[in-house]
Amino acid sequence: MRESKIGLPKGIRPVRQQVKYGMDQSSTTQGPTGIVMMNLGGPKTLDDVRPFLLKLFEDREIIQLPAQRFLGPYIAKRRTKSVRQKYDEIGGGSPILAWTEEQGRGMCERLDKMSPETAPHKFYVAFRYVHPFSEDALRAMKADGIKRAVAFTQYPQFSCSTTGSSLNELWRAAKNVGLQNDFEWSVIDRWPTHPRFVEAMAETVKQGLEQFSEAERDDVLILFSAHSLPLDVINRGDAYPAEIGASTHEVMKRLDYSHEYVVSYQSDVGPVPWLGPSTEKVIESLGEKKRRNVLVVGIAFTSDHIETLHELDIEYGEVAHKAGITNFKRAPALNGLPVFQDALAEVVHEHLQAGEACSKQYGLRCPGCVNPQCRNILNPVEPYKRTNVSMSKDTKLYKAAS
Amino acid sequence: MRESKIGLPKGIRPVRQQVKYGMDQSSTTQGPTGIVMMNLGGPKTLDDVRPFLLKLFEDREIIQLPAQRFLGPYIAKRRTKSVRQKYDEIGGGSPILAWTEEQGRGMCERLDKMSPETAPHKFYVAFRYVHPFSEDALRAMKADGIKRAVAFTQYPQFSCSTTGSSLNELWRAAKNVGLQNDFEWSVIDRWPTHPRFVEAMAETVKQGLEQFSEAERDDVLILFSAHSLPLDVINRGDAYPAEIGASTHEVMKRLDYSHEYVVSYQSDVGPVPWLGPSTEKVIESLGEKKRRNVLVVGIAFTSDHIETLHELDIEYGEVAHKAGITNFKRAPALNGLPVFQDALAEVVHEHLQAGEACSKQYGLRCPGCVNPQCRNILNPVEPYKRTNVSMSKDTKLYKAAS
């Protein structure tokens, strides 16, 4: 494996150069182990909506706008009212923090039993645009005396727009709070076909199918819906669509291909072209083709939030109703499903046992990557260094953020 | 399973209503079994190039042109010279027929041993735009006294543009030659993650990696390249990209994720937008990012033809050279690899044993399907009938072909 040409910052020791975790049979524990659960997050209350949108529209790693420093806040302000209303309609806020904490507790309980040599295990939530942020997680880890840390994405399928961005933010945050030398990091950057995750997803599909009457059940079309990405992200070579394909195929294999299924992409906004087929248009077309029983499954989401509770259930529910789909149901999100907590624990346990810094793929920048910070910022587990993009902080793309 | 509303034509008995094959333990054989190997095909000699292109540009199921009856032949004539030259550069013709025949022989030898109850097994090649056509295969099957027939796509991943079109053509051809009532059909319409296929593909990747020196091998990026599709096909809900994702993931899993990899799409032509990332652009970008060792793998092709021997090896080889990729290699196609013949035989054997007419997915029209013949023409294994598109032959899309 090639070494970084820039070298590692003083004090950073990537795990792959250490003794493998889980291999030490001595009685002393190597713990505590801190597990950072990274996700987008969502506003917990209606008052969190505006700051959440402000942070989202300021992030040049996700959205590039002209004069972003001014246009970002303007758009965030304009959209606040309608987005607040959506959160109001789903109960006044996103349940994603509550679910992540429940999942984290279940994961750590299981890990303490599965892997006493790395116990105790503690989880820390790091959201992208709402508390708790990466900084919050890092400070809490420091206070808890954590040395060994695992950055664990809660997006099963990798995209630079999701996991890539969260990891970049984590490394930036470590530097911002002066904790860049305090943890021995490794990264779980994807787990699209982990068998227990597949089992958990298949379980939600089964629960979804049970919502149909026995007479209708065989007729159900399963619509796997994932968050879409702009085509320019896809055309750079982002791994996401192939990993979505892999996840859906594994789930259907586990269900013995019991039903017809389609993969589609939701939540496209704005004037740029997005990856299709669009979930909304697929629902309309299925109605035109006289399909009457459709089960939608959020294949890229691990808990309920606005994209499931509002977009799928309310907005697309109306689309389905208008299109004549009599029975439009949604499989429950993984949320508090015990087998999903088994999955999270197994993913971490296998990662600790393998003793790897990250997947081979995490070292790979998309062929068409234009983000100068990608794999190029302070990154304690960076296994490669192949970029010819300047590290200068005042490049055009990041001007607003620097 | 719902019955066809139009009913089945007289004399057509789909296998799923019969006694399961392979379940009969009596000493009498149920054979012979005819296996139709369906593929695109390619001109065998330079003189076949023009009629091949004429048929391709006449096919409204693949290409829709205004005034196709006139414009199709015009474009075919204009492109003949340059395409002839490409075939000249790869040895004067496509080897796809020779490879398919070798694969068919190996498959049938294995099947005769694996499944004596359905022996003898005979294969029949059915190409789309060059001899042997579906009509040729059907007449030969009749002459050989075949009753039980398996339509076996040679495209591992399903698309309406490939397997869907070949199956439609097979059913049309059966009617054209008056043999629509002579065979008891079943269909193998996809096998993107069959374990033996995955093993065979992984074997070609290993052989490809051996072309690099030991010092360079760890540095190789594996570029899985599949034939692209226009985005309007993708946006209708075609299964292809998700199945390509599933295949590549399985192959990398079998290789224990030993190398970084990217999935890309080749052969896009004309002014309409195609599914990306484009293999050509990915190669250019990899060069810009100072990658020096790239192994390209044709994940959707089962033998060498113009897309591997000319496009990947010669055209993209030049692109790679210009981009500074010192070592640009291609994994060998499956061609005569024995384990691939094992794969073909196992796919058929498992299909015969399962006694199913086709996969659950074959009954599914794409949500946005606009082809009135899709799942709507004479189709002896059609398990569903859900279309509201008219069966009229003089609909706009098929006017030229009728």
Side-chain angles (χ1 to χ4, degrees):
Chain A
M1 200 174 275
R2 95 168 43 178
E3 289 301 309
S4 167
K5 284 184 196 144
I6 52 167
L8 292 165
K10 198 184 161 198
I12 298 284
R13 298 161 302 159
V15 169
R16 66 194 170 88
Q17 297 175 353
Q18 312 295 314
V19 175
K20 283 194 173 191
Y21 275 78
M23 299 293 136
D24 184 353
Q25 297 303 314
S26 71
S27 60
T28 54
T29 177
Q30 298 154 333
T33 305
I35 300 157
V36 183
M37 300 173 80
M38 303 181 301
N39 212 335
L40 185 82
K44 201 175 166 184
T45 67
L46 295 184
D47 288 340
D48 293 335
V49 170
R50 188 165 174 186
F52 176 83
L53 291 176
L54 269 172
K55 285 215 166 271
L56 175 66
F57 283 98
E58 265 173 9
D59 182 8
R60 291 188 68 76
E61 231 170 23
I62 301 298
I63 299 166
Q64 286 99 46
L65 299 169
Q68 188 140 7
R69 202 187 296 239
F70 305 101
L71 194 54
Y74 174 75
I75 295 175
K77 190 180 165 190
R78 274 199 55 183
R79 296 196 58 177
T80 296
K81 193 180 166 190
S82 67
V83 175
R84 260 185 85 113
Q85 192 186 327
K86 288 181 185 187
Y87 279 101
D88 198 26
E89 288 172 30
I90 65 167
S94 170
I96 190 168
L97 179 60
W99 285 125
T100 306
E101 287 175 337
E102 182 167 331
Q103 290 162 355
R105 276 191 298 272
M107 171 182 74
C108 287
E109 279 168 21
R110 285 160 174 80
L111 277 168
D112 285 348
K113 285 178 200 157
M114 293 160 85
S115 180
E117 65 275 20
T118 52
H121 301 85
K122 297 191 170 198
F123 74 92
Y124 302 86
V125 179
F127 284 155
R128 203 59 195 79
Y129 308 116
V130 69
H131 278 284
F133 293 112
S134 291
E135 280 87 346
D136 302 317
L138 293 161
R139 286 201 190 96
M141 286 158 70
K142 180 69 180 172
D144 286 350
I146 298 288
K147 288 279 173 195
R148 175 72 173 91
V150 180
F152 182 16
T153 182
Q154 298 302 294
Y155 303 99
Q157 303 88 10
F158 186 90
S159 167
C160 285
S161 306
T162 54
T163 298
S165 152
S166 276
L167 283 164
N168 287 349
E169 174 66 10
L170 183 64
W171 311 141
R172 278 190 296 262
K175 196 176 176 193
N176 289 346
V177 296
L179 294 174
Q180 68 267 49
N181 298 338
D182 291 64
F183 308 108
E184 202 172 276
W185 283 104
S186 65
V187 171
I188 302 172
D189 47 272
R190 70 197 73 206
W191 34 288
T193 59
H194 188 279
R196 200 69 68 203
F197 163 62
V198 170
E199 181 185 343
M201 282 301 314
E203 177 58 34
T204 67
V205 176
K206 282 182 203 160
Q207 290 181 12
L209 288 168
E210 280 164 17
Q211 298 172 49
F212 294 83
S213 75
E214 251 185 73
E216 295 156 340
R217 202 169 295 147
D218 277 355
D219 184 62
V220 172
L221 180 138
I222 300 173
L223 182 59
F224 289 103
S225 183
H227 204 294
S228 188
L229 288 174
L231 276 182
D232 65 355
V233 174
I234 300 301
N235 289 338
R236 281 177 210 148
D238 197 277
Y240 184 73
E243 296 195 6
I244 292 289
S247 292
T248 51
H249 205 94
E250 287 294 304
V251 171
M252 288 311 301
K253 186 158 84 181
R254 184 155 183 115
L255 295 168
D256 203 19
Y257 305 102
S258 62
H259 291 73
E260 297 163 309
Y261 66 99
V262 170
V263 178
S264 64
Y265 294 92
Q266 70 182 84
S267 320
D268 49 307
V269 287
V272 300
W274 289 65
L275 179 64
S278 131
T279 301
E280 185 172 357
K281 286 185 186 149
V282 164
I283 292 168
E284 287 170 354
S285 300
L286 289 172
E288 282 168 24
K289 290 206 162 37
K290 313 286 184 209
R291 299 297 300 227
R292 294 295 167 255
N293 298 293
V294 172
L295 175 68
V296 65
V297 180
I299 188 68
F301 307 126
T302 54
S303 60
D304 274 320
H305 50 306
I306 193 95
E307 280 86 355
T308 56
L309 298 171
H310 199 279
E311 190 173 18
L312 288 178
D313 292 351
I314 299 177
E315 295 168 49
Y316 295 170
E318 277 179 26
V319 172
H321 178 74
K322 280 187 190 157
I325 299 175
T326 328
N327 298 304
F328 179 80
K329 317 270 189 188
R330 181 170 65 84
L334 293 163
N335 291 345
L337 197 70
V339 68
F340 180 58
Q341 294 169 20
D342 295 344
L344 293 173
E346 283 184 31
V347 169
V348 175
H349 185 216
E350 288 162 20
H351 168 79
L352 291 172
Q353 286 215 313
E356 283 181 354
C358 59
S359 81
K360 194 92 180 177
Q361 283 294 80
Y362 178 54
L364 178 69
R365 288 182 68 195
C366 294
C369 181
V370 292
N371 177 353
Q373 294 205 348
C374 185
R375 312 289 185 277
N376 207 359
I377 58 170
L378 173 70
N379 179 350
V381 294
E382 177 187 46
Y384 304 103
K385 179 82 193 94
R386 299 187 196 265
T387 176
N388 63 346
V389 178
S390 162
M391 275 189 75
S392 163
K393 279 185 184 168
D394 53 8
T395 59
K396 199 178 164 198
L397 185 63
Y398 288 89
K399 213 169 179 179
S402 64
Chain B
M1 198 176 276
R2 88 168 52 180
E3 289 301 309
S4 166
K5 284 184 198 145
I6 52 167
L8 292 165
K10 197 184 161 196
I12 298 284
R13 296 163 303 159
V15 169
R16 66 191 170 86
Q17 297 175 353
Q18 312 294 314
V19 175
K20 283 198 175 191
Y21 276 76
M23 298 294 136
D24 183 353
Q25 298 303 312
S26 71
S27 60
T28 54
T29 175
Q30 300 155 334
T33 305
I35 300 155
V36 183
M37 300 173 80
M38 302 181 301
N39 212 334
L40 185 82
K44 202 176 167 184
T45 69
L46 296 184
D47 288 340
D48 293 335
V49 170
R50 189 164 173 186
F52 176 84
L53 291 177
L54 270 171
K55 285 215 167 271
L56 176 66
F57 283 99
E58 267 173 7
D59 181 8
R60 290 188 70 75
E61 229 169 25
I62 301 299
I63 299 166
Q64 286 99 45
L65 299 169
Q68 188 140 6
R69 203 187 296 239
F70 305 101
L71 193 55
Y74 173 75
I75 295 175
K77 191 180 164 188
R78 274 199 57 182
R79 296 196 58 175
T80 296
K81 194 180 166 188
S82 68
V83 176
R84 260 185 87 113
Q85 192 186 325
K86 289 182 184 184
Y87 278 101
D88 198 25
E89 287 172 28
I90 65 166
S94 170
I96 190 169
L97 180 59
W99 284 126
T100 307
E101 288 176 336
E102 182 167 331
Q103 291 162 353
R105 277 191 297 273
M107 172 182 73
C108 287
E109 279 168 22
R110 286 161 174 77
L111 277 169
D112 286 348
K113 286 178 198 155
M114 293 161 84
S115 181
E117 65 274 20
T118 52
H121 302 84
K122 296 190 169 201
F123 73 92
Y124 302 87
V125 179
F127 284 156
R128 203 59 195 80
Y129 308 116
V130 69
H131 279 284
F133 293 113
S134 291
E135 280 88 346
D136 302 316
L138 293 162
R139 286 201 190 95
M141 286 159 69
K142 179 69 180 172
D144 287 349
I146 298 288
K147 288 278 173 197
R148 174 73 172 91
V150 179
F152 182 17
T153 183
Q154 297 302 295
Y155 303 99
Q157 303 88 9
F158 187 89
S159 167
C160 284
S161 306
T162 55
T163 298
S165 152
S166 277
L167 283 165
N168 287 350
E169 175 64 11
L170 184 64
W171 311 141
R172 278 191 297 261
K175 197 176 176 193
N176 288 347
V177 295
L179 294 174
Q180 68 267 47
N181 297 339
D182 291 64
F183 308 109
E184 201 172 274
W185 283 105
S186 65
V187 172
I188 301 171
D189 47 274
R190 70 196 73 206
W191 34 288
T193 58
H194 188 278
R196 199 69 68 199
F197 163 64
V198 170
E199 182 185 343
M201 282 300 314
E203 177 58 35
T204 68
V205 176
K206 281 182 204 160
Q207 290 181 11
L209 288 167
E210 280 164 17
Q211 298 171 49
F212 295 83
S213 75
E214 250 184 73
E216 294 155 342
R217 202 168 296 149
D218 277 356
D219 185 61
V220 172
L221 179 137
I222 299 173
L223 182 59
F224 289 103
S225 182
H227 204 296
S228 188
L229 288 174
L231 276 182
D232 65 356
V233 175
I234 301 300
N235 289 338
R236 282 177 209 146
D238 198 277
Y240 185 73
E243 296 196 6
I244 292 289
S247 292
T248 51
H249 205 93
E250 287 293 303
V251 171
M252 289 311 302
K253 187 159 81 179
R254 185 157 181 112
L255 295 167
D256 203 18
Y257 306 102
S258 62
H259 290 74
E260 296 163 311
Y261 67 99
V262 171
V263 179
S264 64
Y265 293 92
Q266 70 182 85
S267 319
D268 49 307
V269 288
V272 299
W274 290 65
L275 180 63
S278 134
T279 300
E280 186 172 358
K281 286 186 187 150
V282 164
I283 292 168
E284 286 170 353
S285 300
L286 290 171
E288 281 168 25
K289 290 206 163 38
K290 311 288 183 209
R291 298 299 297 227
R292 293 295 168 255
N293 299 292
V294 172
L295 175 68
V296 65
V297 180
I299 187 68
F301 307 125
T302 55
S303 60
D304 273 321
H305 52 304
I306 195 92
E307 279 86 354
T308 57
L309 297 170
H310 200 280
E311 190 173 16
L312 288 179
D313 291 353
I314 299 177
E315 295 168 49
Y316 295 170
E318 278 178 26
V319 172
H321 178 74
K322 279 186 192 158
I325 299 175
T326 327
N327 298 304
F328 179 81
K329 317 271 189 188
R330 179 170 66 83
L334 293 164
N335 291 344
L337 197 71
V339 67
F340 181 57
Q341 294 169 20
D342 296 343
L344 293 173
E346 283 184 31
V347 169
V348 175
H349 185 216
E350 288 161 18
H351 169 77
L352 291 172
Q353 286 216 313
E356 284 181 355
C358 59
S359 81
K360 194 92 180 176
Q361 282 294 81
Y362 178 53
L364 178 70
R365 289 182 69 195
C366 294
C369 182
V370 291
N371 177 353
Q373 294 206 347
C374 185
R375 311 289 184 277
N376 206 359
I377 58 169
L378 173 70
N379 180 350
V381 295
E382 178 187 46
Y384 304 103
K385 179 81 193 96
R386 298 186 198 264
T387 176
N388 61 346
V389 178
S390 162
M391 276 188 75
S392 163
K393 279 184 184 170
D394 52 8
T395 59
K396 199 178 164 200
L397 185 62
Y398 287 90
K399 212 170 183 180
S402 65

